[in-house]
Amino acid sequence: MTTYLITVLSNVHEGRENDFHDWYENTHIPEILEVPGVLSIRRLVLNDEQIGADKGHSQAHYRHLTLIEIATDDFDATLAAISTLDGSKAAELLVPGQVLASLYRDPKVYTKP
């Protein structure tokens, strides 16, 4: 079985943060978690203060990060199932051109012994 990590960087329309969090937490995340192979979802919001931040660095332009952990032998089927979910609310809440999704294979996790 292969593990994957999907990262989604995004920005929300000004004044729509509460709507976004409500929809994401109560609708979108539960439906993604129902997809076979999806193990976990972690959401993060960019902290205002950054350590050694380079003000011109592109990642600083994204306020939201979602990490979706997947373990599957058929990634195409898992991704197809996620793709069938209704994204119309996301299209309404997220700033066009300010969403970046990336796929990583075989993520390594290191923890303290």
Side-chain angles (χ1 to χ4, degrees):
M1 185 156 308
T2 305
T3 57
Y4 301 88
L5 187 67
I6 298 174
T7 65
V8 182
L9 292 162
S10 62
N11 286 318
V12 178
H13 284 290
E14 190 172 328
R16 301 297 308 269
E17 291 276 338
N18 289 338
D19 295 334
F20 174 71
H21 293 302
D22 180 59
W23 168 75
Y24 216 67
E25 295 285 333
N26 298 309
T27 302
H28 198 50
I29 287 176
E31 66 187 3
I32 293 173
L33 287 170
E34 290 295 319
V35 173
V38 173
L39 301 177
S40 67
I41 299 174
R42 180 175 287 192
R43 294 188 61 215
L44 302 100
V45 177
L46 188 68
N47 193 54
D48 291 333
E49 293 183 35
Q50 295 293 305
I51 300 170
D54 174 358
K55 299 296 183 198
H57 191 272
S58 62
Q59 186 175 353
H61 297 290
Y62 293 99
R63 295 265 318 141
H64 301 277
L65 169 63
T66 301
L67 306 172
I68 304 169
E69 182 184 17
I70 296 169
T72 182
D73 288 323
D74 189 353
F75 182 74
D76 291 337
T78 302
L79 190 59
I82 292 171
S83 298
T84 64
L85 301 175
D86 183 9
S88 59
K89 191 68 170 179
E92 173 190 325
L93 297 169
L94 297 175
V95 178
Q98 294 185 21
V99 178
L100 175 63
S102 301
L103 171 64
Y104 298 88
R105 188 181 70 241
D106 296 324
K108 307 294 186 249
V109 177
Y110 301 92
T111 61
K112 287 175 95 172

